Coordinates of all heavy atoms in Angstrom, one line a residue:
M1 N 52.4 -48.2 -56.7 CA 53.6 -47.5 -56.5 C 54.6 -47.9 -57.5 O 55.4 -47.0 -58.0 CB 54.1 -47.7 -55.1 CG 55.3 -46.9 -54.7 SD 54.9 -45.2 -54.7 CE 56.1 -44.6 -53.5
K2 N 54.7 -49.1 -57.9 CA 55.7 -49.6 -58.8 C 55.5 -48.9 -60.2 O 56.5 -48.5 -60.8 CB 55.6 -51.1 -59.0 CG 56.7 -51.7 -59.8 CD 56.7 -53.2 -59.8 CE 57.9 -53.8 -60.4 NZ 58.0 -55.2 -60.3
K3 N 54.3 -48.7 -60.6 CA 54.0 -48.1 -61.9 C 54.5 -46.6 -61.8 O 55.0 -46.1 -62.8 CB 52.5 -48.1 -62.3 CG 52.1 -49.5 -62.7 CD 50.6 -49.5 -63.1 CE 50.2 -50.9 -63.4 NZ 48.8 -51.0 -63.7
L4 N 54.3 -45.9 -60.7 CA 54.7 -44.5 -60.6 C 56.2 -44.4 -60.7 O 56.8 -43.6 -61.4 CB 54.2 -44.0 -59.3 CG 54.8 -42.6 -58.9 CD1 54.3 -41.5 -59.9 CD2 54.4 -42.2 -57.5
I5 N 56.9 -45.3 -60.0 CA 58.4 -45.3 -60.0 C 58.9 -45.6 -61.4 O 59.8 -44.9 -61.9 CB 58.9 -46.3 -59.0 CG1 58.6 -45.8 -57.6 CG2 60.4 -46.5 -59.2 CD1 58.9 -46.8 -56.5
C6 N 58.3 -46.6 -62.1 CA 58.7 -46.9 -63.5 C 58.4 -45.7 -64.4 O 59.2 -45.4 -65.2 CB 58.0 -48.1 -64.0 SG 58.6 -49.6 -63.2
G7 N 57.3 -45.0 -64.2 CA 57.0 -43.9 -65.0 C 57.9 -42.7 -64.8 O 58.4 -42.1 -65.7
I8 N 58.3 -42.5 -63.5 CA 59.3 -41.4 -63.3 C 60.6 -41.8 -63.8 O 61.3 -41.0 -64.4 CB 59.4 -41.2 -61.8 CG1 58.1 -40.5 -61.3 CG2 60.6 -40.3 -61.4 CD1 58.0 -40.3 -59.8
A9 N 61.0 -43.1 -63.7 CA 62.3 -43.5 -64.3 C 62.3 -43.3 -65.8 O 63.3 -42.9 -66.3 CB 62.5 -45.0 -63.9
L10 N 61.2 -43.7 -66.4 CA 61.2 -43.6 -67.9 C 61.2 -42.1 -68.3 O 61.9 -41.7 -69.2 CB 59.9 -44.2 -68.4 CG 59.8 -44.1 -70.0 CD1 61.0 -44.8 -70.7 CD2 58.5 -44.8 -70.4
A11 N 60.5 -41.3 -67.5 CA 60.5 -39.8 -67.8 C 61.9 -39.2 -67.7 O 62.3 -38.4 -68.5 CB 59.5 -39.1 -66.9
L12 N 62.6 -39.6 -66.6 CA 63.9 -39.1 -66.5 C 64.8 -39.6 -67.5 O 65.7 -38.8 -68.0 CB 64.4 -39.5 -65.1 CG 63.7 -38.9 -63.9 CD1 64.2 -39.5 -62.6 CD2 63.8 -37.4 -63.8
A13 N 64.7 -40.8 -67.9 CA 65.5 -41.4 -68.9 C 65.3 -40.7 -70.3 O 66.3 -40.7 -71.1 CB 65.3 -42.9 -69.1
L14 N 64.2 -40.2 -70.6 CA 63.9 -39.6 -71.8 C 64.5 -38.2 -71.9 O 64.3 -37.5 -72.9 CB 62.4 -39.6 -72.1 CG 61.8 -41.0 -72.4 CD1 60.3 -40.9 -72.4 CD2 62.3 -41.6 -73.6
G15 N 65.2 -37.8 -70.9 CA 65.8 -36.5 -71.0 C 65.2 -35.4 -70.1 O 64.9 -34.3 -70.6
G16 N 65.1 -35.7 -68.9 CA 64.5 -34.8 -68.0 C 65.2 -34.6 -66.7 O 66.4 -35.0 -66.6
G17 N 64.6 -34.0 -65.7 CA 65.3 -33.9 -64.5 C 64.2 -33.7 -63.4 O 63.1 -33.5 -63.6
L18 N 64.7 -33.8 -62.1 CA 63.8 -33.7 -61.0 C 64.5 -32.7 -60.1 O 65.6 -32.9 -59.6 CB 63.6 -35.0 -60.3 CG 62.6 -35.1 -59.2 CD1 61.2 -34.8 -59.7 CD2 62.6 -36.5 -58.5
L19 N 63.8 -31.6 -59.8 CA 64.4 -30.5 -59.0 C 63.7 -30.4 -57.6 O 62.5 -30.5 -57.5 CB 64.2 -29.2 -59.7 CG 64.9 -29.0 -61.0 CD1 64.5 -27.7 -61.6 CD2 66.4 -29.0 -60.8
A20 N 64.5 -30.2 -56.6 CA 63.9 -29.9 -55.3 C 64.7 -28.7 -54.8 O 65.9 -28.7 -54.7 CB 64.2 -31.1 -54.3
H21 N 63.9 -27.6 -54.4 CA 64.6 -26.4 -53.9 C 65.6 -25.9 -54.8 O 66.7 -25.4 -54.4 CB 65.1 -26.6 -52.5 CG 64.2 -27.3 -51.6 ND1 63.1 -26.7 -51.1 CD2 64.1 -28.5 -51.0 CE1 62.4 -27.5 -50.3 NE2 63.0 -28.6 -50.2
G22 N 65.4 -26.1 -56.1 CA 66.4 -25.6 -57.1 C 67.6 -26.5 -57.4 O 68.4 -26.2 -58.2
A23 N 67.7 -27.6 -56.6 CA 68.8 -28.5 -56.8 C 68.4 -29.7 -57.6 O 67.3 -30.3 -57.4 CB 69.4 -28.9 -55.4
E24 N 69.3 -30.1 -58.5 CA 69.0 -31.3 -59.3 C 69.1 -32.6 -58.5 O 70.2 -32.8 -57.8 CB 70.0 -31.4 -60.5 CG 69.8 -32.5 -61.4 CD 68.5 -32.5 -62.3 OE1 68.3 -31.4 -62.9 OE2 67.8 -33.5 -62.3
L25 N 68.1 -33.4 -58.5 CA 68.2 -34.7 -57.7 C 68.7 -35.9 -58.5 O 69.0 -36.9 -58.0 CB 66.8 -35.0 -57.1 CG 66.2 -34.0 -56.1 CD1 64.9 -34.5 -55.6 CD2 67.2 -33.8 -55.0
V26 N 68.6 -35.7 -59.8 CA 69.0 -36.8 -60.7 C 70.5 -36.6 -61.1 O 70.9 -35.6 -61.6 CB 68.1 -36.8 -62.0 CG1 68.5 -37.9 -62.9 CG2 66.7 -37.0 -61.6
Q27 N 71.2 -37.7 -61.0 CA 72.6 -37.7 -61.4 C 72.7 -37.8 -62.9 O 72.1 -38.8 -63.4 CB 73.4 -38.8 -60.7 CG 74.8 -38.9 -61.1 CD 75.5 -40.1 -60.5 OE1 74.9 -41.0 -59.9 NE2 76.8 -40.2 -60.8
N28 N 73.4 -37.0 -63.6 CA 73.7 -37.1 -65.0 C 72.3 -37.1 -65.8 O 72.2 -37.9 -66.7 CB 74.5 -38.4 -65.3 CG 75.0 -38.4 -66.7 OD1 75.2 -37.4 -67.4 ND2 75.3 -39.7 -67.1
G29 N 71.4 -36.3 -65.5 CA 70.1 -36.2 -66.1 C 70.1 -35.9 -67.6 O 69.2 -36.2 -68.3
G30 N 71.2 -35.2 -68.0 CA 71.3 -34.8 -69.4 C 72.2 -35.8 -70.2 O 72.5 -35.5 -71.3
F31 N 72.7 -36.8 -69.6 CA 73.5 -37.9 -70.2 C 74.9 -37.3 -70.7 O 75.4 -37.8 -71.6 CB 72.8 -38.6 -71.3 CG 71.5 -39.2 -70.8 CD1 70.3 -38.6 -71.0 CD2 71.5 -40.4 -70.0 CE1 69.1 -39.2 -70.5 CE2 70.4 -40.9 -69.5 CZ 69.2 -40.3 -69.8
E32 N 75.3 -36.2 -70.0 CA 76.6 -35.6 -70.4 C 77.7 -36.6 -70.2 O 78.8 -36.6 -70.9 CB 76.9 -34.4 -69.6 CG 75.9 -33.3 -69.7 CD 74.7 -33.4 -68.8 OE1 74.7 -34.3 -67.9 OE2 73.7 -32.6 -69.0
N33 N 77.6 -37.5 -69.2 CA 78.6 -38.5 -68.9 C 78.1 -39.9 -69.2 O 78.3 -40.8 -68.5 CB 79.0 -38.4 -67.4 CG 79.6 -37.1 -67.1 OD1 80.5 -36.6 -67.7 ND2 79.1 -36.5 -66.0
G34 N 77.5 -40.0 -70.4 CA 77.0 -41.3 -70.8 C 76.0 -41.9 -69.9 O 75.0 -41.2 -69.5
L35 N 76.1 -43.1 -69.5 CA 75.1 -43.8 -68.7 C 75.5 -43.8 -67.2 O 74.9 -44.5 -66.4 CB 74.9 -45.2 -69.2 CG 74.2 -45.3 -70.6 CD1 74.2 -46.8 -71.1 CD2 72.8 -44.8 -70.5
T36 N 76.5 -43.0 -66.8 CA 76.9 -42.9 -65.4 C 75.7 -42.6 -64.6 O 75.0 -41.6 -64.8 CB 78.0 -41.9 -65.3 OG1 79.1 -42.2 -66.1 CG2 78.4 -41.8 -63.8
G37 N 75.5 -43.4 -63.5 CA 74.4 -43.1 -62.6 C 73.1 -43.8 -63.0 O 72.1 -43.8 -62.2
W38 N 73.0 -44.3 -64.2 CA 71.8 -45.0 -64.7 C 71.9 -46.5 -64.6 O 73.0 -47.0 -64.8 CB 71.5 -44.6 -66.1 CG 71.1 -43.1 -66.2 CD1 71.9 -42.1 -66.4 CD2 69.8 -42.6 -66.0 NE1 71.2 -40.9 -66.4 CE2 69.9 -41.2 -66.1 CE3 68.6 -43.1 -65.8 CZ2 68.8 -40.4 -66.0 CZ3 67.5 -42.3 -65.7 CH2 67.6 -40.9 -65.8
R39 N 70.8 -47.2 -64.5 CA 70.9 -48.7 -64.5 C 69.6 -49.1 -65.3 O 68.7 -48.4 -65.5 CB 70.9 -49.3 -63.2 CG 69.6 -49.0 -62.3 CD 69.6 -49.7 -61.0 NE 68.4 -49.4 -60.2 CZ 67.3 -50.0 -60.4 NH1 67.1 -50.9 -61.4 NH2 66.2 -49.7 -59.7
A40 N 69.6 -50.4 -65.7 CA 68.5 -50.9 -66.4 C 67.5 -51.5 -65.4 O 67.9 -52.3 -64.6 CB 68.9 -52.1 -67.4
Q41 N 66.3 -51.0 -65.5 CA 65.2 -51.6 -64.7 C 64.6 -52.8 -65.5 O 64.0 -52.6 -66.5 CB 64.1 -50.5 -64.5 CG 62.8 -51.0 -63.9 CD 63.0 -51.1 -62.3 OE1 63.9 -50.5 -61.7 NE2 62.2 -52.0 -61.8
D42 N 65.0 -54.0 -65.2 CA 64.7 -55.2 -65.9 C 65.6 -55.3 -67.1 O 66.6 -54.7 -67.1 CB 63.2 -55.2 -66.3 CG 62.7 -56.7 -66.6 OD1 62.9 -57.5 -65.7 OD2 62.1 -56.9 -67.6
K43 N 65.3 -56.1 -68.1 CA 66.2 -56.4 -69.2 C 65.9 -55.5 -70.4 O 64.7 -55.5 -70.9 CB 66.1 -57.8 -69.6 CG 66.5 -58.8 -68.5 CD 66.4 -60.2 -69.0 CE 66.8 -61.0 -67.8 NZ 67.2 -62.0 -67.4
L44 N 66.9 -54.7 -70.8 CA 66.8 -53.9 -72.0 C 68.2 -53.4 -72.4 O 69.1 -53.5 -71.6 CB 65.9 -52.6 -71.8 CG 66.5 -51.5 -70.9 CD1 65.9 -50.2 -71.4 CD2 66.2 -51.7 -69.5
A45 N 68.3 -53.0 -73.6 CA 69.5 -52.5 -74.2 C 69.5 -50.9 -74.1 O 68.4 -50.4 -74.4 CB 69.7 -52.9 -75.6
M46 N 70.5 -50.3 -73.5 CA 70.5 -48.8 -73.4 C 71.8 -48.3 -74.1 O 72.8 -48.9 -74.0 CB 70.6 -48.4 -71.9 CG 69.4 -48.9 -71.1 SD 69.4 -48.2 -69.4 CE 71.1 -48.4 -68.8
E47 N 71.6 -47.2 -74.8 CA 72.7 -46.4 -75.4 C 72.4 -44.9 -75.4 O 71.2 -44.6 -75.5 CB 73.0 -46.9 -76.8 CG 72.0 -46.6 -77.8 CD 72.4 -47.0 -79.2 OE1 73.4 -46.5 -79.7 OE2 71.7 -47.7 -79.9
V48 N 73.4 -44.1 -75.2 CA 73.2 -42.7 -75.3 C 73.3 -42.3 -76.8 O 74.1 -42.7 -77.5 CB 74.3 -41.9 -74.5 CG1 74.1 -40.4 -74.7 CG2 74.1 -42.3 -73.0
V49 N 72.3 -41.4 -77.2 CA 72.3 -40.9 -78.6 C 72.3 -39.4 -78.5 O 71.9 -38.8 -77.5 CB 71.0 -41.4 -79.3 CG1 71.0 -42.9 -79.5 CG2 69.7 -41.0 -78.6
A50 N 72.8 -38.8 -79.6 CA 73.0 -37.4 -79.6 C 71.8 -36.6 -80.2 O 71.7 -35.4 -80.1 CB 74.2 -37.0 -80.5
D51 N 70.8 -37.4 -80.7 CA 69.6 -36.7 -81.4 C 68.4 -36.7 -80.5 O 67.3 -36.8 -81.0 CB 69.4 -37.4 -82.7 CG 69.0 -38.8 -82.6 OD1 69.2 -39.4 -81.5 OD2 68.5 -39.4 -83.6
G52 N 68.6 -36.4 -79.2 CA 67.4 -36.3 -78.3 C 66.7 -35.0 -78.6 O 67.3 -34.1 -79.3
V53 N 65.6 -34.8 -78.0 CA 64.8 -33.6 -78.2 C 65.6 -32.3 -77.8 O 65.6 -31.3 -78.4 CB 63.4 -33.7 -77.4 CG1 62.7 -32.3 -77.5 CG2 62.6 -34.8 -78.0
S54 N 66.3 -32.4 -76.6 CA 67.0 -31.3 -76.1 C 68.5 -31.6 -76.0 O 69.2 -31.1 -75.0 CB 66.5 -30.8 -74.8 OG 66.5 -31.9 -73.9
G55 N 69.1 -32.4 -76.8 CA 70.5 -32.8 -76.8 C 70.6 -34.3 -76.6 O 69.9 -35.1 -77.3
K56 N 71.5 -34.8 -75.8 CA 71.7 -36.2 -75.6 C 70.5 -36.8 -74.9 O 69.8 -36.2 -74.1 CB 72.9 -36.5 -74.8 CG 74.2 -36.1 -75.5 CD 75.4 -36.5 -74.6 CE 76.7 -36.2 -75.4 NZ 77.9 -36.5 -74.6
A57 N 70.2 -38.1 -75.2 CA 69.1 -38.8 -74.6 C 69.6 -40.3 -74.5 O 70.6 -40.7 -75.1 CB 67.9 -38.7 -75.4
V58 N 68.8 -41.1 -73.8 CA 69.0 -42.5 -73.8 C 68.0 -43.2 -74.7 O 66.8 -42.9 -74.8 CB 69.0 -43.1 -72.4 CG1 67.6 -43.0 -71.8 CG2 69.5 -44.5 -72.3
K59 N 68.5 -44.2 -75.5 CA 67.7 -45.0 -76.3 C 67.5 -46.3 -75.7 O 68.5 -47.0 -75.4 CB 68.3 -45.1 -77.7 CG 67.5 -46.0 -78.7 CD 68.1 -46.1 -80.0 CE 67.4 -47.0 -81.0 NZ 68.0 -47.1 -82.3
A60 N 66.3 -46.7 -75.4 CA 66.0 -48.0 -74.8 C 65.4 -49.0 -75.8 O 64.5 -48.6 -76.5 CB 65.1 -47.9 -73.6
A61 N 66.0 -50.1 -76.0 CA 65.5 -51.1 -77.0 C 65.5 -52.5 -76.4 O 66.1 -52.8 -75.4 CB 66.4 -51.0 -78.2
N62 N 64.9 -53.4 -77.1 CA 64.8 -54.8 -76.8 C 64.3 -55.0 -75.3 O 64.9 -55.8 -74.6 CB 66.2 -55.5 -76.9 CG 66.7 -55.4 -78.4 OD1 65.9 -55.4 -79.3 ND2 68.0 -55.2 -78.5
R63 N 63.2 -54.3 -75.0 CA 62.7 -54.4 -73.6 C 62.0 -55.8 -73.5 O 61.3 -56.2 -74.3 CB 61.7 -53.3 -73.4 CG 62.3 -51.9 -73.5 CD 61.3 -50.8 -73.3 NE 59.9 -51.1 -73.3 CZ 59.0 -50.4 -72.7 NH1 59.3 -49.3 -72.1 NH2 57.7 -50.8 -72.7
A64 N 62.3 -56.4 -72.4 CA 61.8 -57.7 -72.1 C 60.4 -57.6 -71.5 O 59.6 -58.5 -71.7 CB 62.7 -58.5 -71.1
N65 N 60.0 -56.5 -70.8 CA 58.7 -56.3 -70.2 C 58.3 -54.9 -70.4 O 59.2 -54.0 -70.7 CB 58.8 -56.6 -68.7 CG 59.0 -58.1 -68.5 OD1 58.2 -58.9 -68.8 ND2 60.1 -58.4 -67.9
Y66 N 57.0 -54.6 -70.3 CA 56.5 -53.2 -70.5 C 57.1 -52.2 -69.6 O 57.2 -51.0 -69.9 CB 55.0 -53.2 -70.4 CG 54.5 -53.4 -69.0 CD1 54.2 -52.3 -68.2 CD2 54.2 -54.7 -68.5 CE1 53.7 -52.5 -66.9 CE2 53.8 -54.8 -67.3 CZ 53.5 -53.7 -66.5 OH 53.0 -53.9 -65.2
Y67 N 57.5 -52.7 -68.4 CA 58.1 -51.8 -67.4 C 59.6 -51.6 -67.4 O 60.2 -50.9 -66.7 CB 57.6 -52.2 -66.0 CG 58.0 -53.6 -65.6 CD1 59.3 -54.0 -65.2 CD2 57.1 -54.6 -65.8 CE1 59.6 -55.3 -64.9 CE2 57.4 -55.9 -65.5 CZ 58.6 -56.2 -65.0 OH 58.9 -57.5 -64.8
A68 N 60.2 -52.3 -68.4 CA 61.7 -52.2 -68.5 C 62.0 -50.8 -68.9 O 61.5 -50.3 -69.9 CB 62.2 -53.2 -69.5
S69 N 62.9 -50.1 -68.2 CA 63.3 -48.8 -68.5 C 64.6 -48.4 -67.9 O 65.0 -49.0 -66.9 CB 62.2 -47.8 -68.0 OG 62.1 -47.8 -66.6
P70 N 65.3 -47.4 -68.4 CA 66.5 -46.8 -67.7 C 66.0 -46.3 -66.3 O 64.9 -45.7 -66.3 CB 67.0 -45.7 -68.6 CG 66.4 -46.1 -69.9 CD 65.1 -46.7 -69.7
A71 N 66.8 -46.3 -65.3 CA 66.3 -45.9 -64.0 C 67.4 -45.4 -63.1 O 68.6 -45.7 -63.4 CB 65.6 -47.0 -63.3
Q72 N 67.0 -44.6 -62.1 CA 67.9 -44.2 -61.0 C 67.2 -44.3 -59.7 O 66.0 -44.1 -59.7 CB 68.3 -42.7 -61.2 CG 69.4 -42.5 -62.2 CD 70.0 -41.1 -62.1 OE1 70.1 -40.6 -61.0 NE2 70.4 -40.6 -63.2
N73 N 67.9 -44.7 -58.7 CA 67.3 -44.7 -57.4 C 67.5 -43.4 -56.7 O 68.7 -43.1 -56.3 CB 67.9 -45.8 -56.5 CG 67.2 -46.0 -55.2 OD1 66.5 -45.1 -54.7 ND2 67.4 -47.1 -54.5
I74 N 66.5 -42.6 -56.6 CA 66.6 -41.2 -56.0 C 66.0 -41.1 -54.6 O 65.8 -40.0 -54.1 CB 66.0 -40.2 -57.0 CG1 64.6 -40.4 -57.2 CG2 66.8 -40.1 -58.2 CD1 63.8 -39.3 -57.9
L75 N 65.7 -42.3 -54.0 CA 65.1 -42.3 -52.7 C 65.9 -41.5 -51.7 O 65.3 -40.7 -50.9 CB 64.8 -43.7 -52.2 CG 64.2 -43.8 -50.9 CD1 62.8 -43.2 -50.8 CD2 64.0 -45.3 -50.5
A76 N 67.2 -41.7 -51.6 CA 68.0 -41.0 -50.6 C 68.0 -39.5 -50.8 O 67.9 -38.8 -49.9 CB 69.5 -41.5 -50.7
A77 N 68.0 -39.1 -52.1 CA 67.9 -37.6 -52.4 C 66.6 -37.1 -52.0 O 66.5 -36.0 -51.4 CB 68.2 -37.4 -53.9
L78 N 65.5 -37.8 -52.2 CA 64.2 -37.4 -51.8 C 64.1 -37.3 -50.3 O 63.5 -36.3 -49.8 CB 63.1 -38.3 -52.4 CG 62.9 -38.2 -53.9 CD1 62.0 -39.3 -54.4 CD2 62.3 -36.8 -54.3
L79 N 64.6 -38.3 -49.6 CA 64.5 -38.3 -48.1 C 65.3 -37.1 -47.6 O 64.9 -36.5 -46.6 CB 65.0 -39.6 -47.6 CG 64.1 -40.8 -47.8 CD1 64.7 -42.1 -47.4 CD2 62.7 -40.6 -47.1
K80 N 66.5 -36.9 -48.2 CA 67.3 -35.8 -47.7 C 66.6 -34.4 -47.9 O 66.7 -33.5 -47.1 CB 68.7 -35.8 -48.4 CG 69.6 -34.7 -48.0 CD 70.9 -34.9 -48.7 CE 71.9 -33.8 -48.3 NZ 73.2 -33.8 -49.1
S81 N 66.0 -34.3 -49.1 CA 65.3 -33.0 -49.4 C 64.0 -32.8 -48.6 O 63.6 -31.7 -48.3 CB 65.0 -32.9 -50.9 OG 66.1 -32.9 -51.6
G82 N 63.4 -33.9 -48.1 CA 62.2 -33.8 -47.3 C 61.0 -33.4 -48.1 O 61.0 -33.3 -49.3
P83 N 59.9 -33.2 -47.4 CA 58.6 -32.9 -48.0 C 58.7 -31.5 -48.7 O 59.5 -30.7 -48.3 CB 57.6 -32.8 -46.9 CG 58.4 -33.0 -45.6 CD 59.8 -33.2 -45.9
G84 N 57.9 -31.4 -49.7 CA 57.8 -30.1 -50.5 C 57.4 -30.3 -51.9 O 56.8 -31.4 -52.2
E85 N 57.6 -29.4 -52.7 CA 57.2 -29.4 -54.1 C 58.4 -29.8 -54.9 O 59.5 -29.2 -54.8 CB 56.7 -28.0 -54.5 CG 56.2 -28.0 -55.9 CD 55.6 -26.6 -56.3 OE1 54.8 -26.1 -55.5 OE2 56.0 -26.1 -57.3
Y86 N 58.2 -30.8 -55.8 CA 59.2 -31.2 -56.7 C 58.7 -31.0 -58.1 O 57.6 -31.1 -58.4 CB 59.4 -32.7 -56.5 CG 60.1 -33.1 -55.2 CD1 59.3 -33.2 -54.0 CD2 61.4 -33.1 -55.0 CE1 59.8 -33.5 -52.8 CE2 62.0 -33.4 -53.8 CZ 61.2 -33.6 -52.7 OH 61.8 -33.9 -51.5
K87 N 59.6 -30.6 -59.0 CA 59.3 -30.3 -60.4 C 60.0 -31.3 -61.3 O 61.2 -31.5 -61.2 CB 59.7 -28.9 -60.8 CG 59.0 -27.8 -60.0 CD 59.4 -26.4 -60.5 CE 58.6 -25.4 -59.6 NZ 58.9 -24.1 -60.0
L88 N 59.2 -32.0 -62.1 CA 59.7 -33.0 -63.0 C 59.6 -32.5 -64.4 O 58.5 -32.0 -64.8 CB 59.0 -34.3 -62.8 CG 59.3 -35.4 -63.8 CD1 60.7 -35.9 -63.6 CD2 58.3 -36.5 -63.7
G89 N 60.7 -32.5 -65.1 CA 60.7 -32.0 -66.5 C 61.2 -33.1 -67.4 O 62.2 -33.8 -67.1
I90 N 60.6 -33.3 -68.6 CA 61.0 -34.3 -69.5 C 60.9 -33.8 -70.9 O 60.2 -32.8 -71.2 CB 60.2 -35.6 -69.4 CG1 58.8 -35.4 -69.9 CG2 60.3 -36.2 -68.0 CD1 58.1 -36.7 -70.2
A91 N 61.7 -34.4 -71.8 CA 61.5 -34.2 -73.2 C 61.5 -35.6 -73.8 O 62.3 -36.4 -73.5 CB 62.7 -33.4 -73.8
A92 N 60.5 -35.9 -74.6 CA 60.3 -37.3 -75.1 C 60.2 -37.3 -76.6 O 59.7 -36.3 -77.2 CB 59.1 -37.9 -74.5
K93 N 60.7 -38.3 -77.3 CA 60.5 -38.5 -78.7 C 60.3 -40.0 -79.0 O 61.0 -40.8 -78.5 CB 61.9 -38.1 -79.4 CG 61.8 -38.2 -80.9 CD 63.1 -37.5 -81.4 CE 64.1 -38.5 -82.0 NZ 65.2 -37.8 -82.6
A94 N 59.2 -40.2 -79.7 CA 58.8 -41.6 -80.0 C 59.6 -42.0 -81.3 O 59.7 -41.2 -82.2 CB 57.3 -41.8 -80.2
A95 N 60.0 -43.2 -81.3 CA 60.7 -43.7 -82.6 C 60.0 -44.9 -83.1 O 59.4 -45.6 -82.5 CB 62.2 -44.0 -82.2

């Protein structure tokens, strides 16, 4: 389960979103407001850059562990939305 959560956190951090019933569950998924709503999962340096695949993105560097990534806790939003189909979209760029 921890790997799945880290994978979702990384996917969202790379410039994506998670939709439930047409509503965005991720706060500031396009980084329009910098790193608001995001936190570091473990130790890493985070900064918003303008040259993401689809606009702004987060650049993660100096990761202390393989699972270190930008993250959001969306458990409350998932519980509120309940069971159903969720769509996850990402845009990624390797540097």
Side-chain angles (χ1 to χ4, degrees):
M1 184 66 153
K2 189 172 188 176
K3 288 182 183 177
L4 172 64
I5 292 171
C6 290
I8 290 173
L10 180 59
L12 296 173
L14 291 172
L18 188 62
L19 296 174
H21 311 290
E24 179 70 50
L25 297 181
V26 176
Q27 178 188 5
N28 192 25
F31 303 101
E32 300 85 7
N33 296 312
L35 293 171
T36 300
W38 292 92
R39 65 176 180 79
Q41 173 78 23
D42 203 50
K43 295 181 186 208
L44 75 152
M46 297 188 314
E47 69 173 303
V48 174
V49 295
D51 61 346
V53 173
S54 59
K56 291 183 180 180
V58 67
K59 178 180 178 181
N62 301 325
R63 297 177 354 153
N65 293 295
Y66 72 93
Y67 54 83
S69 65
Q72 281 194 33
N73 185 343
I74 58 169
L75 179 60
L78 290 170
L79 291 172
K80 181 179 178 182
S81 295
E85 184 175 308
Y86 293 86
K87 295 182 182 181
L88 173 66
I90 67 164
K93 180 169 108 174

